[in-house]
């Protein structure tokens, strides 16, 4: 059986991961509108990763005898001023998710669920990687955001990102 407080914290995080998928899908729609197909592809891969993160926790709660309670997903933003503004929002969002995973780990610690702490370790490492990846795109955008040619080159690079289903835990 899963501790009740921890179960609630996991359910909140499942919601946050589904919200992340929704947010990146909204960014995908933005890039479709402004016809940056590589950026759109990057968002598509990102949203698939978020779905995998949500389902990883979803399955884990069941595996531990807990109850998954899905919650309403908040409406994400739909408009941004530029690709740079999008990636600034992505970094801010990922930093928020990192703090949420840390808080979830604190609950697992508090109720002395070592197995959950060890499971969540994967998510923490994933956040470090995600923040670094987003930070790199952001750095490039900050250098080139006024140059259409460079934006085009970056779009080509982002078009090469592919989704690889993560092995969680
Ligand atoms: Fe689920 O890693 Fe981003 O938010």
């Amino acid at each position: 059986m899963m501790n009740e407080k921890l179960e609630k914290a996991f359910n909140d995080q499942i919601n946050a991961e589904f919200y992340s998928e929704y947010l990146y899908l909204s960014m995908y729609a933005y890039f479709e509108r402004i016809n940056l197909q590589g950026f759109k592809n990057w968002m598509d891969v990102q949203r698939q990763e978020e779905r995998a993160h949500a389902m990883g926790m979803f399955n884990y709660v069941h595996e531990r005898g807990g109850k998954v309670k899905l919650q309403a997903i908040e409406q994400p933003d739909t408009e941004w001023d530029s690709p740079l503004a999008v990636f600034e929002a992505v970094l801010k969002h990922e930093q928020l998710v990192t703090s949420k995973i840390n808080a979830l780990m604190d609950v697992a610690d508090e109720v002395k669920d070592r197995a959950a702490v060890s499971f969540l370790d994967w998510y923490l490492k994933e956040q470090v990687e995600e923040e670094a990846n987003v930070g790199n795109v952001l750095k490039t955008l900050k250098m080139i955001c006024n140059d259409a040619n460079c934006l085009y080159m970056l779009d080509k690079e982002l078009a090469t990102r592919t989704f690889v289903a993560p092995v969680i835990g």
Side-chain angles (χ1 to χ4, degrees):
M1 270 304 274
M2 191 173 238
N3 171 281
E4 220 174 282
K5 185 173 177 182
L6 184 59
E7 181 186 280
K8 163 88 176 70
F10 261 102
N11 275 305
D12 288 347
Q13 189 59 35
I14 289 170
N15 181 262
E17 300 292 341
F18 278 127
Y19 171 77
S20 300
E21 183 190 16
Y22 224 37
L23 174 65
Y24 296 135
L25 189 56
S26 186
M27 290 171 171
Y28 171 106
Y30 166 78
F31 285 120
E32 173 68 34
R33 284 198 297 279
I34 65 169
N35 198 26
L36 281 173
Q37 298 300 317
F39 280 86
K40 188 184 89 173
N41 173 66
W42 194 97
M43 287 301 162
D44 191 32
V45 173
Q46 191 69 15
R47 70 147 194 96
Q48 290 179 78
E49 287 199 353
E50 298 304 344
R51 160 73 46 136
H53 297 167
M55 291 311 295
M57 287 189 185
F58 183 106
N59 292 332
Y60 184 72
V61 170
H62 283 149
E63 198 181 329
R64 296 291 308 278
K67 188 170 179 178
V68 170
K69 292 181 193 163
L70 294 179
Q71 303 165 16
I73 301 170
E74 195 191 317
Q75 180 181 352
D77 283 343
T78 54
E79 291 298 337
W80 293 269
D81 289 339
S82 62
L84 175 64
V86 172
F87 272 85
E88 280 171 341
V90 173
L91 184 59
K92 204 167 148 212
H93 178 68
E94 287 305 329
Q95 287 166 340
L96 176 70
V97 171
T98 300
S99 70
K100 283 177 184 281
I101 300 276
N102 272 317
L104 176 55
M105 273 181 119
D106 285 347
V107 177
D109 247 339
E110 186 192 318
V111 302
K112 300 194 181 345
D113 191 327
R114 303 281 170 247
V117 172
S118 144
F119 171 76
L120 289 168
D121 204 44
W122 182 90
Y123 282 84
L124 216 46
K125 288 188 185 118
E126 176 75 359
Q127 283 308 121
V128 171
E129 220 179 89
E130 289 206 337
E131 284 189 31
N133 288 342
V134 175
N136 284 337
V137 179
L138 198 50
K139 259 187 238 155
T140 312
L141 273 170
K142 278 183 176 160
M143 281 190 295
I144 68 166
C145 63
N146 291 324
D147 183 330
N149 283 338
C150 291
L151 195 58
Y152 176 75
M153 295 303 289
L154 181 59
D155 190 60
K156 284 230 168 298
E157 189 188 318
L158 298 185
T160 62
R161 187 182 187 198
T162 53
F163 175 66
V164 180
V167 181
I168 298 175

